[in-house]
Every structure is written in structure tokens, then in C-alpha cells.
Amino acid sequence: MGFRKLLGLGTLAAFSGAALPLPALAQAAPASGRPEIKFTTTDAFSMADIPAYKGDNRDIYAHIEKNKAAHIANLQRWVRQRSISAQNDGVREMAELAAADFRKIGFQEVEVVPTGGHPGVFAYYNAGAKKTLVVYMMLDVQPVEPEDWKVPPFEGAIVEDHPLGRVLMARGATNTKGPERAFLNTIESIIAVRGKLPVNLMIVAESEEELGSPHYPEIIAKYADRLKAAAGSIYPGGGQSPADGAVSMQLGNKGILYVELEAKGNPTTGGPQKAEIHSSWKATTDAPAWRLTQALATLTSPDGNTINIPGYYDRIRQPSEEEQRLFNGTLAGWEKRQLTVRKGFSIDHWYDGMEARQSLSRYLFDTTLNIDGIATGYDGPGMKTILPHRAYAKLDSRLVPDQTPDEMLALMRKHLDAKGFADIEIRKLSGYPASQTSVSAPLVRAVLGTYNKYGLTVDVSPRSGGSRPSYVFTQTLGLPDVTLAIGHGADAHAPNEYLVIDPKPGSKIFSLTQMEGFYADVLYALAATK
Amino acid sequence: MGFRKLLGLGTLAAFSGAALPLPALAQAAPASGRPEIKFTTTDAFSMADIPAYKGDNRDIYAHIEKNKAAHIANLQRWVRQRSISAQNDGVREMAELAAADFRKIGFQEVEVVPTGGHPGVFAYYNAGAKKTLVVYMMLDVQPVEPEDWKVPPFEGAIVEDHPLGRVLMARGATNTKGPERAFLNTIESIIAVRGKLPVNLMIVAESEEELGSPHYPEIIAKYADRLKAAAGSIYPGGGQSPADGAVSMQLGNKGILYVELEAKGNPTTGGPQKAEIHSSWKATTDAPAWRLTQALATLTSPDGNTINIPGYYDRIRQPSEEEQRLFNGTLAGWEKRQLTVRKGFSIDHWYDGMEARQSLSRYLFDTTLNIDGIATGYDGPGMKTILPHRAYAKLDSRLVPDQTPDEMLALMRKHLDAKGFADIEIRKLSGYPASQTSVSAPLVRAVLGTYNKYGLTVDVSPRSGGSRPSYVFTQTLGLPDVTLAIGHGADAHAPNEYLVIDPKPGSKIFSLTQMEGFYADVLYALAATK
């Protein structure tokens, strides 16, 4: 849900383990209200079609290597500044620290941006270049449970004996102060060596990613006219597989509608209104828990896999030729990877026993309706005999392009009303549409060309099955939007979060200085596009 | 659920407040799969048909009054002995204390009875009388939160300034050491004045009432042959309304089937088996939360008020003539009392807008299926996007005579299988059948006659809508079973639990010594029956 949290299929590369044999199919595919997903081309996208970036930036790499100790110290300085947005702990101080860094690096325009919540930071570096690149940053981090950590989470410890090598272990090391400050190290080295950057930069940072980015659209809106003129937006964040150094790129995200449905006793429909009552009164009394259950059950087929809300699938368009080519290009990898994914999740088979083609097309091109939680009454051990006065469920629906959260919400409301469940309240907690970036965008080609320079295995997918509000870049601003998935860190929301600084010999993971060199290549590759 | 916890309609007398106007009917009564409850007689049971008990026990009353201080001290001694069954705190010591009291009073046979859990106590007083009475006792109490109490909960404090008068305030004061030890005070006074009791007594005490009486059937089974020869079983417990001193008698209890239904990821039906997964995978993955929701929804009509399990209503018999007469006798009181009940529960109307006759007949003669709780996934504030790997619900079904828990369980299993939900696990947590005692039983007539002696308003109901396993008396032993609802105490499972010792002037509540006199009358009234 977080703004930049879900790396979608890309994160799957982190799973390892032998492939499982395909399980016997337990269920025949039922007649389905889900739209059939049709393919009209067998052409497949190939990384071989993208020319490798060939620029020579060895002078910059050398500067980065020479200043490695100072660069590491910069990362440590950032992770040492607490910035837990959920607890309002150090958040403003972090914004001020970032703003001071931007000024020191040479950004001519730096502003701490007030919002309805925590402040953001806008920074503009005018290189007098033809192209401008928008850089997304998040300055906040998740809360910590210090007692679960091997090292103090805000000490910025360098741990030498991590299984993957020498790492920075701290809250924010990989999510995402580490890669962000590494990107700034790159900027400093380029300016030191070349005098100025090859592109103009607009950093648009927020301090509420871990809260679901509720005010990020405010920050974007303030600078929208200037941001729209950019060549695209990037997000520096590590995502290499520790097994083979492979990376992935998702050219879009699903949107989301997140709602709570609640049934409660009320004067019209009956039921207790203030508190649970003794369950013997079910003999005479309407029960909100049954109302909610019955209402929920109307939303899907008995197997829970087809949405029965009229019109819910109507907006789903067939995959475009580009999406099909990307799909065809990624299918072979998915055929193997899905077994690893299922093993990691302890899932014996996908629903209806779907094979790779069907499961990948559902994952990329279909909408979902999922129960995140249901709560009513007593859930402790043993027995309690009560008739609860309220019952609620949390549901999320992943949206594909052309579905909008408000239209889907209206369809759900209309359906419940038509089925006699006008008493069920629907509360929208979040909603935003899908995003999409074309693989032919110059920024995308520049990033893929840079991956090709290093001979990296890249899985390019038309989108992630996960959601993030990258529509603010692709729809609000009309920009191509790309995450830079180089380097490796993990345990983003867990204890002992880390970013690899120096991987063990033989590893395919990029070191910190290689990450920084890669970022330089991307900026020059973008500058070189027409 | 506890063995003697639910006093059913009787507890409603404690509600006060003005009657509400009848609400407008929000829903028309739908075509229903519930059996119509038919009445064939308009005859009504009346207390006036029961001769008042006329025996003269003033010598016993005098002895009770004279020994009042010692009698209060006996109650204090019992409540001072901790006996929290849930925490195994003082339970055996309480059983030993009770056994010692029984021996001292003159019970010739006293045995602490080991069970699979906490011990019970069996005690036999042979008066050489024609009639034998079984007395149920519970020796355990609920846990306490001492900081919430005005007085230490195990000090046996006499509180002078309670709104209802002078009270014993302690854990167990009313539930149920107070009334039990008061009954023993009566026995001591009778023996002191008259030399022996008018009936033989068999006390069958347990120490696990607050745990749901899991081993009480073991204790009953050990003495079943002797217990079966008794004239009935009684339970001394206070239940007078503080408003007007009215009492109630329920001549039976509903049984219960309590189950957990669980859906979880498994190899056959799919879904994640070990942990929740990211909700984006709903696109390819079976969801236990949907399976449970869909399975639950097949159990009832959309309004949740009709059970759709084939055969579930088949065993329900029409009310007997006696049950109808009792129903007709209690209906007028219910017409007013239901408004007070609904007000207390914040319920605007019963389901389908039922009026008094329909609601009371459903409450007494119909079975139920209630959701006590559902739990799956995330139930905290805001959003979490997960596909839970398990989902479960707790359900209880109140059973009327001729329904058995195992048959109802089998019908539920068969129905879920037939609907394609063989993957839903059903776990039975508890089950026992309904109990029924005839109003014409000599013991019942003796108790009602004693109420008439004192001119008490008595609501005699064919049964309670609540459950307790009194079938061990009525079915296992074939005995009439009656609760003595004289005196008043409250806050049984809460802080500041109390039993009124001396009510304020003008109150209709019986004092402790009046309770003890009443118990003496009941024993002599029973002895006098043919």
C-alpha cells in the first residue's frame, strides 16, 4: 500500500529453492464471470532490442571510489536521524537535514513544503540541460522494536559478518534512505568531476510514505506545472536478487480501492445498537454478524474467485500489443518462478489449477476483490455466547487500467442496495487508479540500456500486481515512471534492516559504489536520448 | 454457558425503566422456513392454582434469627476461602472446607471426589425420611481484579451503605457461596430445633462451574444410581427483583451446540497454508476468508433469521399443552417486559417486527443459529493488504427439546458437504441437550406453594432461552430440577459482587434470615407432598 513499498514481481527474485512438481489439479475450472484475457500476438519483448549504454564515466566511478568512506558516512548520517512518521519522531528534523544536504550539493531552489500532515521537500537543480528528471524520495521510516535488533536501529552500524557481506544495518538502510543518499553521493561526485549534472533534477520528497502517502498529491500539485515538463520520474531503490543479481522492472502498478464494510444494529433493520447481548436473544433479534456475512457472500462466487458485482469487470480492456509483448517476454521466467513463489507461500496450486500463462495473465491484467480481515464478536480461546452489535470487514480491490476506485465503489454500493443490503455501510479508506508507463519511453530505454551495459538479467513486466499511487506521476503529470532496482537490501519493515555495502566475493550484487556508478550512467544515458 | 450462570428471563426483572412505544415495523415478515408455532389451548397456568404452603416453622425462624451473627460469619468464612478455578487458586482448600462443614453439620457420608479436573464433593444426610432431595452446589468463583473493588474481594466485608441496604461484598457473595452457605445455615438450625431434617439430602458440589462444568457429569455418574431415587434437585441462588421482589422460575433450559468453523489454505482446495500473503496474490490464489464467508452464508437466509440447513427444524415439536399453559400464563407479563428488555439492549424492534406473542414463542420454542465471533486477517485501524491463510467463526445454536447437539452437528456437516464446502472444518467445543421439568412435579409445586405463602409475584416460564447443562438432572437422572430464586445479589462476575443481608426498610427483597427461613419451608413443603 505504501507509496513505493511494493516491488511486485520483482521481489520474488529473492525467493530461492528448487522448483516443485506441478500439483494435481484439485478443481475443474468453473464457468466464470471473469473476462477471458485474449492474446493477439506471439511477439515477445527482448532486452536484446535495447542498445546497451556505452558512455564512459570512469572518471566519475574513480571519484566515487576515492570518496567511498565519506559516501558511507553520508548514508550513516541519514539513517542516524530518526524519522518515524507514525510516531512523529524526528520527521521535521529529517526534512531539514535533507534540505540542508540539497543546498550544500548545489540545488539552487530548496523548500521544505508544508502539507496537511508531515512536511515534504522540493529541490531543483538547474544544470541548464535540455532534459529534466523528477526524483521521488521518501524521508520517513517504519517504527522499530529495538529489543529485536542485533544493533541499535538508529546507530548506523556497519556489520562486517552479514551472510551477504559487509552491510549497513539500520532502520532506513534499504527503505529508503540508503539508496536515496547513495543517489545524492552520485550527484556530488558528478558535480565534483564534471562541474555540473547532465540533466536538471527536481527532487520531490515526502515524509509520509509509511502512512500511505496521504498528502503527497498536495506536494505534487504545488509544482505540477514545472514537473510536467520533465522527461520522467525515477525512484532509487535496491532490488537485485542475491541469488543471481537479476533485476526487474514493472512498467506500472495496479490501483486500489480499500473499503471497510460494516453492519450494525440500527433502528431500521433491527439488532442491538450499543453493545453485544447474550446470544440466547438470537431467537428474537437481528444479528449484524449474519447481515455482514450475507452481504459479503453476494460479492463473489462460492469459490471466492469471481466478483459478482454487476459491471465490475466492464472496464477491463484487453492487453495492448505492447503489454502482450512484455507478457510474452516474461512468461518463460514466470513458468519457473511461479513454483518458487508458491513454495515460499506454501500454496500447492493457483485457483482452478491455473498454469503459468493463466496465472500470470490474471496477476497482471485482472482485477481482484480480497478480504483483508473480518472482525466481529469474540475471538479468544474457547467459548463466549454473545450476539455482537457490530461486524465489519476490510476489503481491497486491485484495479487495472480504466477501472477507477470511485466507479468500483459505486458499483459495490449499487449491488448491495439491489441485493437488499442498504444497511451495510461502506467506508472508503483509500483509492487510486492504476499507473502505466510505456517501454518505449526514452527514460525507460535509458535505464534498460544501462542494465544492458552491465549484462544484467532483467525481467520487464507490463505492471506489478501490487499497488502504489504512481498515478501521480503517470496520470497527474503524464510522466514515465521507473524504479531503479540496483543494489540489494532487505528486511525493510523488520528488525535488522540492511543494505549491502560490499558484497562477498563472487556475488552478483552491486556494491554501494557500483550502485552510485550505475546512477551516474542512468543520468548520462537519459541525457543522450533524443 | 456456565452450569448455573444463566437465569434467562428471570434476570430481566432487574431491568427498570419506562415502557417504550412500539416501533414502526421496518420489515414485512418474509416467507419463512422456520416452523410455525401453533397453540391449541388458551388455558393459562396461574399461581392461584397452587395451594400456599401453610406449615408452621416459626421455631426454626427464631433459631435462625438468634444465630444471625454466626450465620453471617459462616458466609464470610466461605467467601474468605479463595477458590478461583481458572487460576487453580484455593480450589482444593475450598472443597476440603466445604467437606468439613458438611461433616460438622451431620452429613454421615462426605467424600471429596476426584475428577479429570478440580475435585467435587459428595455429601449424604440420611434423615430416615421418605423423600430425598439433591442439592447442586458450585464451590468455585470467577477471577478478580482487586484494584477495581471498593473492598478486598476475599475479605468478606460487610458494607453498610450499599444502595440496597447492608450487604456482604465479596467474590462469591451471590455466585454462589453466599446462598449455598445460607442453605447450610438453614440445615443447622433445623437440626438444632427439630433434631433432624424432614428430607434426606444429597449434595453434589463441583469446583468447575466457572469453567463450564466440564467434569460435572463424571461426579453425577459416580452416584447416579442413588441420585435417581431422589424427588428432585434444587440450586439455592438469589434472584429477586430489587424493584418489586418478584421472582421467576424457568422449568427448563435450552441445550446448546457450540462450534468453530475454520477455512484454511490446504493442498486440495488451494490457498496459502502457513502464513498470510500479500493481497495482490488474490489474483491467482484461493482465499480462506472468502471460503468461510461463503460457507457461513449458506447456513441462513439473507436476513440471518432462518436456518437453511435441511432438517435442522425437523425435531422441533409443537409446544405441549403444559408448555402452552405456562406460555399463556407468562405472556401478559412479557408484553410489558419485552419493551424494557429491548430498551436495555438498545433494540428498536425484534426481527420481522414481531409482537409479544411471536417473540416469546420464538424465544421459548424455537432453535437458533448465532455467530458469536468471526476472526480473520487484520482488524486494527487503517489498512493492511493481506490475504489471510485462515479464517474462523464461532457459532452457537440453542437447542429445544428433542434436538440433540450431535444430530445438529451432523446436519451442518452434511449441508456444508452438499454445498461444496467439505474443506470447512467444524470443531465442536460444547454440546448438550435441553432440559425440561414439569410444573406438576411435587418438588415444583412445593417451591411454588412456598412462594405463595409469602405472596410473591412469580413468573413461571416453560423454559429459559439460555442454556445450562441441567440435562444431567432432568435427563441423566430423570429428576425435576428447580432453582430457588429468593434473596438478591448481583455483579456476579464483576467487581463489588454482593449479597443483600439486610435490605433497606420498605424493600421487597428477602433478608439473609428470610432466605434461610424460606429454604426451611421448601424442605418441609417437599416432605409434605405425596
Side-chain angles (χ1 to χ4, degrees), chain A residues 400-416:
Chain A
V400 293
D402 298 350
Q403 288 186 305
T404 62
D406 286 344
E407 186 182 6
M408 299 305 110
L409 179 61
L411 290 172
M412 187 185 289
R413 179 73 273 165
K414 186 178 172 188
H415 167 77
L416 287 178

mmCIF file with all atom_site columns, all heavy atoms in Angstrom, chain A residues 400-416:
data_model
loop_
_atom_site.group_PDB
_atom_site.id
_atom_site.type_symbol
_atom_site.label_atom_id
_atom_site.label_alt_id
_atom_site.label_comp_id
_atom_site.label_asym_id
_atom_site.label_entity_id
_atom_site.label_seq_id
_atom_site.pdbx_PDB_ins_code
_atom_site.Cartn_x
_atom_site.Cartn_y
_atom_site.Cartn_z
_atom_site.occupancy
_atom_site.B_iso_or_equiv
_atom_site.pdbx_formal_charge
_atom_site.auth_seq_id
_atom_site.auth_comp_id
_atom_site.auth_asym_id
_atom_site.auth_atom_id
_atom_site.pdbx_PDB_model_num
ATOM 1   N N   . VAL A 1 400 ? -7.139  -2.460 -12.415 1.00 0.00 ? 400 VAL A N   1
ATOM 2   C CA  . VAL A 1 400 ? -6.321  -2.416 -13.624 1.00 0.00 ? 400 VAL A CA  1
ATOM 3   C C   . VAL A 1 400 ? -6.669  -1.123 -14.369 1.00 0.00 ? 400 VAL A C   1
ATOM 4   O O   . VAL A 1 400 ? -7.639  -0.428 -14.023 1.00 0.00 ? 400 VAL A O   1
ATOM 5   C CB  . VAL A 1 400 ? -6.547  -3.677 -14.495 1.00 0.00 ? 400 VAL A CB  1
ATOM 6   C CG1 . VAL A 1 400 ? -6.007  -4.904 -13.770 1.00 0.00 ? 400 VAL A CG1 1
ATOM 7   C CG2 . VAL A 1 400 ? -8.009  -3.848 -14.841 1.00 0.00 ? 400 VAL A CG2 1
ATOM 8   N N   . PRO A 1 401 ? -5.889  -0.764 -15.391 1.00 0.00 ? 401 PRO A N   1
ATOM 9   C CA  . PRO A 1 401 ? -6.148  0.497  -16.086 1.00 0.00 ? 401 PRO A CA  1
ATOM 10  C C   . PRO A 1 401 ? -7.602  0.593  -16.565 1.00 0.00 ? 401 PRO A C   1
ATOM 11  O O   . PRO A 1 401 ? -8.187  -0.401 -16.997 1.00 0.00 ? 401 PRO A O   1
ATOM 12  C CB  . PRO A 1 401 ? -5.175  0.437  -17.272 1.00 0.00 ? 401 PRO A CB  1
ATOM 13  C CG  . PRO A 1 401 ? -4.023  -0.351 -16.753 1.00 0.00 ? 401 PRO A CG  1
ATOM 14  C CD  . PRO A 1 401 ? -4.646  -1.394 -15.866 1.00 0.00 ? 401 PRO A CD  1
ATOM 15  N N   . ASP A 1 402 ? -8.146  1.769  -16.486 1.00 0.00 ? 402 ASP A N   1
ATOM 16  C CA  . ASP A 1 402 ? -9.515  2.139  -16.863 1.00 0.00 ? 402 ASP A CA  1
ATOM 17  C C   . ASP A 1 402 ? -10.538 1.865  -15.761 1.00 0.00 ? 402 ASP A C   1
ATOM 18  O O   . ASP A 1 402 ? -11.651 2.376  -15.817 1.00 0.00 ? 402 ASP A O   1
ATOM 19  C CB  . ASP A 1 402 ? -9.971  1.498  -18.188 1.00 0.00 ? 402 ASP A CB  1
ATOM 20  C CG  . ASP A 1 402 ? -9.103  1.946  -19.363 1.00 0.00 ? 402 ASP A CG  1
ATOM 21  O OD1 . ASP A 1 402 ? -8.290  2.885  -19.178 1.00 0.00 ? 402 ASP A OD1 1
ATOM 22  O OD2 . ASP A 1 402 ? -9.231  1.381  -20.456 1.00 0.00 ? 402 ASP A OD2 1
ATOM 23  N N   . GLN A 1 403 ? -10.212 1.036  -14.782 1.00 0.00 ? 403 GLN A N   1
ATOM 24  C CA  . GLN A 1 403 ? -11.069 0.978  -13.588 1.00 0.00 ? 403 GLN A CA  1
ATOM 25  C C   . GLN A 1 403 ? -10.710 2.163  -12.695 1.00 0.00 ? 403 GLN A C   1
ATOM 26  O O   . GLN A 1 403 ? -9.519  2.454  -12.511 1.00 0.00 ? 403 GLN A O   1
ATOM 27  C CB  . GLN A 1 403 ? -10.815 -0.295 -12.782 1.00 0.00 ? 403 GLN A CB  1
ATOM 28  C CG  . GLN A 1 403 ? -11.340 -1.575 -13.403 1.00 0.00 ? 403 GLN A CG  1
ATOM 29  C CD  . GLN A 1 403 ? -11.151 -2.749 -12.447 1.00 0.00 ? 403 GLN A CD  1
ATOM 30  O OE1 . GLN A 1 403 ? -10.041 -3.020 -11.984 1.00 0.00 ? 403 GLN A OE1 1
ATOM 31  N NE2 . GLN A 1 403 ? -12.228 -3.452 -12.156 1.00 0.00 ? 403 GLN A NE2 1
ATOM 32  N N   . THR A 1 404 ? -11.715 2.814  -12.129 1.00 0.00 ? 404 THR A N   1
ATOM 33  C CA  . THR A 1 404 ? -11.421 3.877  -11.164 1.00 0.00 ? 404 THR A CA  1
ATOM 34  C C   . THR A 1 404 ? -12.021 3.490  -9.823  1.00 0.00 ? 404 THR A C   1
ATOM 35  O O   . THR A 1 404 ? -13.079 2.848  -9.768  1.00 0.00 ? 404 THR A O   1
ATOM 36  C CB  . THR A 1 404 ? -12.009 5.227  -11.594 1.00 0.00 ? 404 THR A CB  1
ATOM 37  O OG1 . THR A 1 404 ? -13.437 5.107  -11.655 1.00 0.00 ? 404 THR A OG1 1
ATOM 38  C CG2 . THR A 1 404 ? -11.474 5.653  -12.951 1.00 0.00 ? 404 THR A CG2 1
ATOM 39  N N   . PRO A 1 405 ? -11.368 3.863  -8.736  1.00 0.00 ? 405 PRO A N   1
ATOM 40  C CA  . PRO A 1 405 ? -11.865 3.432  -7.422  1.00 0.00 ? 405 PRO A CA  1
ATOM 41  C C   . PRO A 1 405 ? -13.280 3.920  -7.143  1.00 0.00 ? 405 PRO A C   1
ATOM 42  O O   . PRO A 1 405 ? -14.088 3.168  -6.594  1.00 0.00 ? 405 PRO A O   1
ATOM 43  C CB  . PRO A 1 405 ? -10.846 4.031  -6.445  1.00 0.00 ? 405 PRO A CB  1
ATOM 44  C CG  . PRO A 1 405 ? -10.019 4.989  -7.209  1.00 0.00 ? 405 PRO A CG  1
ATOM 45  C CD  . PRO A 1 405 ? -10.101 4.608  -8.650  1.00 0.00 ? 405 PRO A CD  1
ATOM 46  N N   . ASP A 1 406 ? -13.605 5.151  -7.553  1.00 0.00 ? 406 ASP A N   1
ATOM 47  C CA  . ASP A 1 406 ? -14.934 5.655  -7.215  1.00 0.00 ? 406 ASP A CA  1
ATOM 48  C C   . ASP A 1 406 ? -16.030 4.968  -8.018  1.00 0.00 ? 406 ASP A C   1
ATOM 49  O O   . ASP A 1 406 ? -17.130 4.747  -7.508  1.00 0.00 ? 406 ASP A O   1
ATOM 50  C CB  . ASP A 1 406 ? -14.982 7.178  -7.376  1.00 0.00 ? 406 ASP A CB  1
ATOM 51  C CG  . ASP A 1 406 ? -14.232 7.874  -6.245  1.00 0.00 ? 406 ASP A CG  1
ATOM 52  O OD1 . ASP A 1 406 ? -13.961 7.205  -5.217  1.00 0.00 ? 406 ASP A OD1 1
ATOM 53  O OD2 . ASP A 1 406 ? -13.901 9.059  -6.378  1.00 0.00 ? 406 ASP A OD2 1
ATOM 54  N N   . GLU A 1 407 ? -15.724 4.627  -9.252  1.00 0.00 ? 407 GLU A N   1
ATOM 55  C CA  . GLU A 1 407 ? -16.733 3.890  -10.019 1.00 0.00 ? 407 GLU A CA  1
ATOM 56  C C   . GLU A 1 407 ? -16.937 2.496  -9.433  1.00 0.00 ? 407 GLU A C   1
ATOM 57  O O   . GLU A 1 407 ? -18.070 2.020  -9.299  1.00 0.00 ? 407 GLU A O   1
ATOM 58  C CB  . GLU A 1 407 ? -16.322 3.794  -11.499 1.00 0.00 ? 407 GLU A CB  1
ATOM 59  C CG  . GLU A 1 407 ? -17.423 3.152  -12.346 1.00 0.00 ? 407 GLU A CG  1
ATOM 60  C CD  . GLU A 1 407 ? -17.033 3.000  -13.825 1.00 0.00 ? 407 GLU A CD  1
ATOM 61  O OE1 . GLU A 1 407 ? -15.868 3.284  -14.177 1.00 0.00 ? 407 GLU A OE1 1
ATOM 62  O OE2 . GLU A 1 407 ? -17.890 2.589  -14.611 1.00 0.00 ? 407 GLU A OE2 1
ATOM 63  N N   . MET A 1 408 ? -15.841 1.829  -9.043  1.00 0.00 ? 408 MET A N   1
ATOM 64  C CA  . MET A 1 408 ? -15.960 0.487  -8.472  1.00 0.00 ? 408 MET A CA  1
ATOM 65  C C   . MET A 1 408 ? -16.715 0.540  -7.138  1.00 0.00 ? 408 MET A C   1
ATOM 66  O O   . MET A 1 408 ? -17.539 -0.320 -6.841  1.00 0.00 ? 408 MET A O   1
ATOM 67  C CB  . MET A 1 408 ? -14.564 -0.132 -8.276  1.00 0.00 ? 408 MET A CB  1
ATOM 68  C CG  . MET A 1 408 ? -13.759 -0.302 -9.550  1.00 0.00 ? 408 MET A CG  1
ATOM 69  S SD  . MET A 1 408 ? -14.602 -1.253 -10.861 1.00 0.00 ? 408 MET A SD  1
ATOM 70  C CE  . MET A 1 408 ? -14.937 0.045  -12.052 1.00 0.00 ? 408 MET A CE  1
ATOM 71  N N   . LEU A 1 409 ? -16.442 1.585  -6.366  1.00 0.00 ? 409 LEU A N   1
ATOM 72  C CA  . LEU A 1 409 ? -17.153 1.781  -5.103  1.00 0.00 ? 409 LEU A CA  1
ATOM 73  C C   . LEU A 1 409 ? -18.655 1.960  -5.350  1.00 0.00 ? 409 LEU A C   1
ATOM 74  O O   . LEU A 1 409 ? -19.490 1.376  -4.649  1.00 0.00 ? 409 LEU A O   1
ATOM 75  C CB  . LEU A 1 409 ? -16.576 3.009  -4.396  1.00 0.00 ? 409 LEU A CB  1
ATOM 76  C CG  . LEU A 1 409 ? -17.185 3.412  -3.059  1.00 0.00 ? 409 LEU A CG  1
ATOM 77  C CD1 . LEU A 1 409 ? -17.024 2.307  -2.027  1.00 0.00 ? 409 LEU A CD1 1
ATOM 78  C CD2 . LEU A 1 409 ? -16.519 4.697  -2.550  1.00 0.00 ? 409 LEU A CD2 1
ATOM 79  N N   . ALA A 1 410 ? -18.986 2.760  -6.366  1.00 0.00 ? 410 ALA A N   1
ATOM 80  C CA  . ALA A 1 410 ? -20.402 2.996  -6.681  1.00 0.00 ? 410 ALA A CA  1
ATOM 81  C C   . ALA A 1 410 ? -21.083 1.704  -7.131  1.00 0.00 ? 410 ALA A C   1
ATOM 82  O O   . ALA A 1 410 ? -22.238 1.446  -6.775  1.00 0.00 ? 410 ALA A O   1
ATOM 83  C CB  . ALA A 1 410 ? -20.526 4.074  -7.757  1.00 0.00 ? 410 ALA A CB  1
ATOM 84  N N   . LEU A 1 411 ? -20.359 0.881  -7.891  1.00 0.00 ? 411 LEU A N   1
ATOM 85  C CA  . LEU A 1 411 ? -20.932 -0.401 -8.322  1.00 0.00 ? 411 LEU A CA  1
ATOM 86  C C   . LEU A 1 411 ? -21.181 -1.318 -7.129  1.00 0.00 ? 411 LEU A C   1
ATOM 87  O O   . LEU A 1 411 ? -22.207 -2.007 -7.059  1.00 0.00 ? 411 LEU A O   1
ATOM 88  C CB  . LEU A 1 411 ? -19.989 -1.083 -9.325  1.00 0.00 ? 411 LEU A CB  1
ATOM 89  C CG  . LEU A 1 411 ? -19.879 -0.432 -10.704 1.00 0.00 ? 411 LEU A CG  1
ATOM 90  C CD1 . LEU A 1 411 ? -18.768 -1.107 -11.522 1.00 0.00 ? 411 LEU A CD1 1
ATOM 91  C CD2 . LEU A 1 411 ? -21.214 -0.502 -11.453 1.00 0.00 ? 411 LEU A CD2 1
ATOM 92  N N   . MET A 1 412 ? -20.260 -1.304 -6.170  1.00 0.00 ? 412 MET A N   1
ATOM 93  C CA  . MET A 1 412 ? -20.421 -2.131 -4.976  1.00 0.00 ? 412 MET A CA  1
ATOM 94  C C   . MET A 1 412 ? -21.641 -1.669 -4.171  1.00 0.00 ? 412 MET A C   1
ATOM 95  O O   . MET A 1 412 ? -22.461 -2.470 -3.728  1.00 0.00 ? 412 MET A O   1
ATOM 96  C CB  . MET A 1 412 ? -19.147 -2.053 -4.122  1.00 0.00 ? 412 MET A CB  1
ATOM 97  C CG  . MET A 1 412 ? -19.131 -3.007 -2.942  1.00 0.00 ? 412 MET A CG  1
ATOM 98  S SD  . MET A 1 412 ? -17.663 -2.784 -1.881  1.00 0.00 ? 412 MET A SD  1
ATOM 99  C CE  . MET A 1 412 ? -16.381 -3.435 -2.942  1.00 0.00 ? 412 MET A CE  1
ATOM 100 N N   . ARG A 1 413 ? -21.761 -0.355 -4.014  1.00 0.00 ? 413 ARG A N   1
ATOM 101 C CA  . ARG A 1 413 ? -22.912 0.210  -3.280  1.00 0.00 ? 413 ARG A CA  1
ATOM 102 C C   . ARG A 1 413 ? -24.225 -0.158 -3.964  1.00 0.00 ? 413 ARG A C   1
ATOM 103 O O   . ARG A 1 413 ? -25.177 -0.594 -3.317  1.00 0.00 ? 413 ARG A O   1
ATOM 104 C CB  . ARG A 1 413 ? -22.734 1.740  -3.219  1.00 0.00 ? 413 ARG A CB  1
ATOM 105 C CG  . ARG A 1 413 ? -23.833 2.519  -2.532  1.00 0.00 ? 413 ARG A CG  1
ATOM 106 C CD  . ARG A 1 413 ? -23.819 2.363  -1.031  1.00 0.00 ? 413 ARG A CD  1
ATOM 107 N NE  . ARG A 1 413 ? -24.573 1.202  -0.579  1.00 0.00 ? 413 ARG A NE  1
ATOM 108 C CZ  . ARG A 1 413 ? -24.488 0.686  0.640   1.00 0.00 ? 413 ARG A CZ  1
ATOM 109 N NH1 . ARG A 1 413 ? -23.694 1.211  1.537   1.00 0.00 ? 413 ARG A NH1 1
ATOM 110 N NH2 . ARG A 1 413 ? -25.189 -0.370 0.978   1.00 0.00 ? 413 ARG A NH2 1
ATOM 111 N N   . LYS A 1 414 ? -24.248 0.026  -5.287  1.00 0.00 ? 414 LYS A N   1
ATOM 112 C CA  . LYS A 1 414 ? -25.461 -0.258 -6.051  1.00 0.00 ? 414 LYS A CA  1
ATOM 113 C C   . LYS A 1 414 ? -25.842 -1.734 -5.922  1.00 0.00 ? 414 LYS A C   1
ATOM 114 O O   . LYS A 1 414 ? -27.016 -2.080 -5.753  1.00 0.00 ? 414 LYS A O   1
ATOM 115 C CB  . LYS A 1 414 ? -25.215 0.120  -7.523  1.00 0.00 ? 414 LYS A CB  1
ATOM 116 C CG  . LYS A 1 414 ? -26.428 0.006  -8.420  1.00 0.00 ? 414 LYS A CG  1
ATOM 117 C CD  . LYS A 1 414 ? -26.068 0.450  -9.840  1.00 0.00 ? 414 LYS A CD  1
ATOM 118 C CE  . LYS A 1 414 ? -27.225 0.156  -10.805 1.00 0.00 ? 414 LYS A CE  1
ATOM 119 N NZ  . LYS A 1 414 ? -26.821 0.402  -12.206 1.00 0.00 ? 414 LYS A NZ  1
ATOM 120 N N   . HIS A 1 415 ? -24.844 -2.584 -5.996  1.00 0.00 ? 415 HIS A N   1
ATOM 121 C CA  . HIS A 1 415 ? -25.086 -4.026 -5.893  1.00 0.00 ? 415 HIS A CA  1
ATOM 122 C C   . HIS A 1 415 ? -25.646 -4.400 -4.522  1.00 0.00 ? 415 HIS A C   1
ATOM 123 O O   . HIS A 1 415 ? -26.633 -5.143 -4.419  1.00 0.00 ? 415 HIS A O   1
ATOM 124 C CB  . HIS A 1 415 ? -23.778 -4.774 -6.152  1.00 0.00 ? 415 HIS A CB  1
ATOM 125 C CG  . HIS A 1 415 ? -23.818 -6.222 -5.772  1.00 0.00 ? 415 HIS A CG  1
ATOM 126 N ND1 . HIS A 1 415 ? -24.436 -7.185 -6.540  1.00 0.00 ? 415 HIS A ND1 1
ATOM 127 C CD2 . HIS A 1 415 ? -23.322 -6.873 -4.687  1.00 0.00 ? 415 HIS A CD2 1
ATOM 128 C CE1 . HIS A 1 415 ? -24.319 -8.363 -5.942  1.00 0.00 ? 415 HIS A CE1 1
ATOM 129 N NE2 . HIS A 1 415 ? -23.649 -8.204 -4.812  1.00 0.00 ? 415 HIS A NE2 1
ATOM 130 N N   . LEU A 1 416 ? -25.026 -3.874 -3.458  1.00 0.00 ? 416 LEU A N   1
ATOM 131 C CA  . LEU A 1 416 ? -25.525 -4.204 -2.111  1.00 0.00 ? 416 LEU A CA  1
ATOM 132 C C   . LEU A 1 416 ? -26.950 -3.679 -1.917  1.00 0.00 ? 416 LEU A C   1
ATOM 133 O O   . LEU A 1 416 ? -27.791 -4.361 -1.330  1.00 0.00 ? 416 LEU A O   1
ATOM 134 C CB  . LEU A 1 416 ? -24.581 -3.646 -1.043  1.00 0.00 ? 416 LEU A CB  1
ATOM 135 C CG  . LEU A 1 416 ? -23.248 -4.376 -0.900  1.00 0.00 ? 416 LEU A CG  1
ATOM 136 C CD1 . LEU A 1 416 ? -22.378 -3.697 0.159   1.00 0.00 ? 416 LEU A CD1 1
ATOM 137 C CD2 . LEU A 1 416 ? -23.446 -5.853 -0.535  1.00 0.00 ? 416 LEU A CD2 1
#
